[in-house]
């Protein structure tokens, strides 16, 4: 609405009559006299901002800057139309007026990316923008779920069965293959070991941790073969002291509530005395003869159970 101030003309005798202030009301919002277009409602804006978590759906940056001691925060978030609100706009057509201004046809963007999607409509098609909106909303929900669930954590990957037994390891190659595919390492060893036995086992576990760190950098066949031989040397020394080496990889997902879950395989290695180990098949059924001939294919069929 606009308000104006009009001064009455002077009287017929040339003298100024009593000046009266006359306020007039302009019924339209623009000086052209045209009735303005209906836009996005306040309720719809709240829905769009809430679904987006106050972040740009493309760069995921907060679309508000912190305030200062003397100024309020600066807002640079904008509700962008997926299908254009006007016939001549980018990605125009196909929706009625109500649908064009609904929250389903709007996504929250920073001013930079709002301009980009309008300048590059051939790349930022309706389908692409709807996909961006859906992915961003899902990311916001995961972020909130992650915060309420206690932050970053590892959860079992439902795409893989979780191992029930440890593979019996008697050679370096099967263990090395597990190391190369793992992102983390955990271990277990018996308590109360003689000093010499414990020193050998701890040295072996430290070697495993070191190899886990450098495995991605070892590319040649010779480097990989040397690593296998080094592991085999420790495995043999541990076996000579009447211990078994068992290992498996648990397929986990790293979830932080912000980004998509990451595959996070965890290598578990256990050292057990021969006298206390139960040798089984992959299903966990104990072998009748105990650790003997069945150990030969240690990376495939045999296993140990603590």
């Amino acid at each position: 609405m606009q308000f104006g101030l009009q001064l009455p003309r002077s009287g017929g005798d040339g003298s100024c009559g009593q000046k009266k202030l006359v306020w007039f009301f302009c019924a339209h919002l623009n000086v052209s006299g045209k009735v303005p277009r209906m836009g996005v409602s306040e309720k719809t804006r709240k829905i769009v901002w809430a679904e987006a978590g106050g972040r740009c759906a493309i760069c995921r940056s907060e679309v508000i800057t912190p305030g200062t001691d003397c100024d309020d925060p600066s807002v640079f978030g904008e509700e962008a139309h997926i299908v254009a609100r006007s016939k001549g706009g980018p990605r125009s057509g196909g929706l009625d007026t109500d649908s064009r201004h609904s929250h389903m046809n709007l996504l929250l963007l920073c001013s930079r990316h709002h301009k980009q999607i309008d300048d590059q409509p051939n790349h930022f098609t309706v389908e692409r923008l709807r996909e961006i909106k859906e992915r961003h909303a899902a990311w916001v929900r995961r972020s909130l779920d992650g915060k309420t669930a206690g932050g970053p954590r590892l959860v079992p990957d439902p795409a893989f069965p979780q191992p029930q037994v440890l593979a019996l390891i008697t050679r370096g190659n099967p263990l090395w293959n597990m190391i190369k595919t793992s992102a983390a390492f955990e271990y277990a060893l018996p308590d109360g070991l003689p000093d010499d036995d414990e020193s050998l086992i701890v040295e072996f576990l430290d070697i495993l941790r070191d190899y886990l760190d450098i495995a991605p950098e070892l590319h040649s066949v010779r480097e990989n073969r040397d690593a296998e031989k080094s592991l085999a040397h420790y495995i043999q020394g541990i076996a000579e002291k009447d211990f078994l080496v068992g290992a498996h990889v648990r397929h986990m997902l790293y979830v932080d509530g912000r980004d998509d879950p990451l595959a996070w395989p965890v290598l578990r290695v256990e050292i057990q005395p021969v006298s206390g180990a139960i040798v089984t098949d992959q299903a966990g059924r104990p072998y009748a003869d105990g650790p003997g001939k069945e150990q030969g294919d240690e990376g495939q069929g045999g296993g140990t159970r603590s």
Side-chain angles (χ1 to χ4, degrees), residues 2 25 60 81 212:
Q2 291 183 343
F25 171 68
R60 293 180 178 169
H81 286 76
L212 192 71

Side-chain angles (χ1 to χ4, degrees), residues 168 170 279-281 285-303:
L168 183 59
T170 61
V279 181
T280 71
D281 60 16
R285 294 185 294 264
Y287 287 125
D289 296 333
K293 294 182 179 180
E294 303 290 351
Q295 300 176 33
D297 198 13
E298 66 281 359
Q300 305 294 327

Side-chain angles (χ1 to χ4, degrees), residues 226-242:
D226 288 344
E228 293 173 3
K229 288 182 177 179
S230 175
L231 294 173
H233 172 75
Y234 280 98
I235 293 168
Q236 181 179 354
I238 291 172
E240 290 173 355
K241 293 183 173 293
D242 293 328

Side-chain angles (χ1 to χ4, degrees), residues 157-228:
D157 188 340
F160 294 90
Q162 296 300 306
Q164 302 300 315
V165 296
L166 299 162
L168 183 59
I169 303 296
T170 61
R171 295 184 296 117
N173 174 265
L175 185 56
W176 177 242
N177 288 335
M178 292 182 184
I179 291 173
K180 290 192 297 182
T181 62
S182 298
F185 170 59
E186 60 185 22
Y187 64 88
L189 67 160
D191 294 326
L193 294 173
D195 290 344
D196 290 346
D197 294 351
E198 182 168 311
S199 295
L200 175 63
I201 292 172
V202 169
E203 185 176 338
F204 169 63
L205 295 174
D206 282 337
I207 289 291
L208 290 183
R209 188 180 296 279
D210 291 342
Y211 272 138
L212 192 71
D213 292 337
I214 67 172
E217 303 172 10
L218 303 182
H219 303 293
S220 70
V221 175
R222 172 49 56 197
E223 289 173 327
N224 280 261
R225 186 60 182 149
D226 288 344
E228 293 173 3

Side-chain angles (χ1 to χ4, degrees), residues 66-73:
T68 66
D69 293 339
C70 52
D71 295 296
D72 291 332

